[in-house]
Amino acid sequence: MNNNKGEGAMRIVIKVLAIILIVLVIATAIVFCCRKLGICKNKDEKTTIITSSKLEKVLQISDLSTYKVTFNGVSTLVGDDGEQIGNVAYNAQVSVGMNMEDISVSVEDVDDNNKNIVVTLPEIQIVDTDVDPGSLDYMFSKKKYDSDNISISALPQCRQDAEDECNSNEMLFELARENAVNTIKALVDPLLDGMEGYTLVILDKEGNKYE
């Protein structure tokens, strides 16, 4: 009788151990699959997320237009022979920004526990100029210069005039730069949430730091 009880207890222990073993195997398989799929990560793997290459992929979103301005200007109108034939007033929308594919990111050690994520901004530039053809208002020096095809040569001249004027406006580029900094912070800060020891540093090509 006691032998039967002992054997029964042994069978129960074996069953419990078998169940525990199966649970451990299943749990190990789930963790393995999760890590393969990137669903869950341990502490060490969390650190590997913050790498320059992965951050560059987040930030490289082609051209980023960070500031737009409506520009009303008057351009000198030049004929095919290079002769000045009058002036043309126009309205244009100019977009200023940067090519985010040229952004560079590095992760630099400050000490054993702290790192700087250094984002270096590419040059701020005009990324698009759209002249409204319906806004063109011509003032010819001679009536003979007025023709149905005048807009073909007038549009690129107006576009160039708008870009020249905007390129000389440093305030326009500074506003675009500030917007770019805010955009980068909005993209990177969520990635650093909960990551201790990481500090975002944003610089331009000249090494100027932006808070």
Side-chain angles (χ1 to χ4, degrees), residues 42-108:
N42 60 28
K43 184 178 180 180
D44 290 337
E45 289 173 323
K46 199 171 186 180
T47 301
T48 63
I49 294 176
I50 308 302
T51 62
S52 58
S53 60
K54 290 188 177 182
L55 283 171
E56 283 180 349
K57 288 180 180 179
V58 171
L59 296 175
Q60 288 177 351
I61 50 178
S62 190
D63 288 344
L64 173 65
S65 176
T66 59
Y67 195 78
K68 290 185 178 182
V69 59
T70 299
F71 185 79
N72 301 318
V74 177
S75 173
T76 299
L77 197 57
V78 178
D80 295 336
D81 57 359
E83 180 185 0
Q84 182 175 336
I85 62 175
N87 298 296
V88 55
Y90 64 90
N91 297 333
Q93 188 174 70
V94 180
S95 300
V96 181
M98 63 179 67
N99 185 354
M100 296 292 278
E101 292 182 356
D102 292 335
I103 203 167
S104 66
V105 181
S106 61
V107 180
E108 301 178 356

Side-chain angles (χ1 to χ4, degrees), residues 12-39:
I12 292 173
V13 170
I14 291 173
K15 286 182 179 180
V16 170
L17 291 174
I19 290 171
I20 292 173
L21 181 61
I22 291 171
V23 170
L24 288 174
V25 171
I26 293 173
T28 301
I30 290 173
V31 171
F32 177 81
C33 292
C34 284
R35 289 178 180 173
K36 278 289 186 182
L37 295 173
I39 298 172

